[in-house]
Amino acid sequence: MSGLKIAPGEAGRIRLFALSMSESEAKALATNISSVPEIDGARSYQEEALGADGLDHAHIEVFPIKNLEGLGLADYLLEGHAALEIDVKRDLQKLSALGGWVMIVLSKAFRGEERELALDPRLTFIGSYRQDGVDWAPVDISAKAAAPSEASGKARKPMSDARISGMVATAVLLFLAAFVVVFVMLAG
């Protein structure tokens, strides 16, 4: 599948890909070395595989499923990445049947930029899973309830001179009272 689109500003998505390649190729993808190390700015293996430049590789994982022994891929998505249970349950059979190597790509890998991925044919898109607690859907704030109320439009009245004088006098009296108490305690 090529032409996978990433929306601008996307957040809270997990994309899972199965890898159909040799173990040495998958390990190279996991270590993400540049495909042409002597050329400055060359695409990394992960960028080549996804068909996208300028990725944040800290948010891409490549590993063999056997490393999840005792946990399983579905539980790893749920517990390790806070995927929504409803999304994972939808693909539970597919996730359980997977073997070999996988690539997990989080939304943050795309740095909030709109992208159209040109996937390497050796990557098979398995599914997209929402992360729990992340809802970045735009909110329409043109509703009447979002409009400023009359009360918020009123400016606060400045304090009167009499009120300020009263506050100063109270502070001075409290200071003098404390001073007298300390003085009496020292004298006694």
Side-chain angles (χ1 to χ4, degrees), residues 70-81:
L71 183 63
L73 187 55
D75 286 335
Y76 181 66
L77 290 170
L78 290 168
E79 296 175 27
H81 288 289

Side-chain angles (χ1 to χ4, degrees), residues 58-155:
H59 301 287
I60 299 174
E61 291 180 73
V62 179
F63 58 90
I65 293 177
K66 68 181 179 184
N67 287 0
L68 300 175
E69 189 176 320
L71 183 63
L73 187 55
D75 286 335
Y76 181 66
L77 290 170
L78 290 168
E79 296 175 27
H81 288 289
L84 286 179
E85 190 171 354
I86 192 167
D87 290 352
V88 173
K89 280 187 176 181
R90 174 194 68 221
D91 289 347
L92 195 54
Q93 279 187 318
K94 201 181 337 180
L95 295 172
S96 299
L98 282 176
W101 288 69
V102 293
M103 175 187 272
I104 294 177
V105 183
L106 304 179
S107 293
K108 289 181 180 182
F110 303 110
R111 303 178 191 268
E113 298 170 6
E114 181 176 19
R115 306 285 180 110
E116 184 160 350
L117 306 181
L119 298 177
D120 182 306
R122 298 173 297 168
L123 267 67
T124 303
F125 178 68
I126 301 300
S128 177
Y129 309 95
R130 295 170 292 171
Q131 288 181 295
D132 191 21
V134 179
D135 183 8
W136 293 95
V139 178
D140 180 21
I141 60 167
S142 61
K144 186 177 179 181
S149 66
E150 288 181 28
S152 67
K154 295 180 183 177

Side-chain angles (χ1 to χ4, degrees), residues 6 17 24 32-35 38 51 58 62 69 72 75 77 79 82 104-105 116 119 122 150 168 170 172 177-178 182:
I6 309 299
F17 301 91
S24 63
N32 192 37
I33 56 178
S34 174
S35 58
E38 62 275 1
V62 179
E69 189 176 320
D75 286 335
L77 290 170
E79 296 175 27
I104 294 177
V105 183
E116 184 160 350
L119 298 177
R122 298 173 297 168
E150 288 181 28
V168 169
T170 302
V172 168
V182 171

